[in-house]
């Protein structure tokens, strides 16, 4: 049974940093592209970043240069390092397994506020 569990969200001041984690189980993690998405109140879910099985990364323009996606295949975990956070980064952040049948985690709340 595929399971994705996000963690690491919280409340941070503008300009601060957070690191999110997405722990995967139930499939061969290293074989799949993994992605981060977010959904702010009243808005549609949007793409943030993804990382392929080979380690290639893609970022939304809004986070480029501030966020870094990475993965540790030995730990079946993907990360999102978020620096220079802005109020507009406030959202629920979800991880997603990409390819074949898509799977989503339950999300973790990130709130950027002074």
């Amino acid at each position: 049974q595929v399971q994705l569990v996000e963690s690491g969200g919280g409340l941070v001041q503008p300009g601060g940093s957070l690191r999110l984690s997405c722990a995967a189980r139930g499939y061969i993690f290293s074989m799949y592209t993994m992605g981060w998405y977010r959904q702010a109140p009243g808005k549609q879910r949007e793409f943030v970043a993804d990382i392929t099985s080979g380690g290639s990364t893609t970022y939304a323009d809004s986070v480029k240069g501030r966020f870094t996606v990475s993965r540790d295949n030995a730990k079946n975990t993907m990360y999102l390092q978020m620096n220079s956070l802005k109020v507009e980064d406030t959202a629920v952040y979800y991880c997603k397994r990409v390819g074949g049948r898509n799977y989503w985690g339950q999300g973790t709340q990130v709130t950027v506020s002074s």
Side-chain angles (χ1 to χ4, degrees):
Q1 180 182 356
V2 174
Q3 234 183 341
L4 301 174
V5 180
E6 302 95 336
S7 62
L11 173 64
V12 63
Q13 292 187 341
S17 297
L18 280 175
R19 188 175 85 151
L20 305 184
S21 299
C22 171
R25 64 182 71 170
Y27 68 101
I28 303 174
F29 177 76
S30 61
M31 291 182 63
Y32 287 84
T33 293
M34 296 294 296
W36 286 102
Y37 290 73
R38 67 186 181 186
Q39 187 165 17
K43 295 188 176 181
Q44 290 192 340
R45 193 171 298 188
E46 64 175 4
F47 169 79
V48 174
D50 66 18
I51 182 165
T52 68
S53 57
S56 297
T57 57
T58 307
Y59 296 92
D61 287 344
S62 58
V63 306
K64 211 171 284 185
R66 300 187 298 122
F67 290 11
T68 302
V69 60
S70 61
R71 65 192 298 161
D72 184 337
N73 290 334
K75 295 183 178 180
N76 291 346
T77 302
M78 174 180 64
Y79 304 97
L80 185 68
Q81 177 66 44
M82 305 186 295
N83 299 329
S84 303
L85 282 161
K86 305 176 180 180
V87 171
E88 51 264 42
D89 294 318
T90 295
V92 178
Y93 284 71
Y94 299 90
C95 64
K96 176 185 176 182
R97 190 189 85 168
V98 180
R101 177 180 170 182
N102 292 329
Y103 287 90
W104 294 87
Q106 83 290 347
T108 185
Q109 176 71 47
V110 171
T111 302
V112 185
S113 174
S114 54

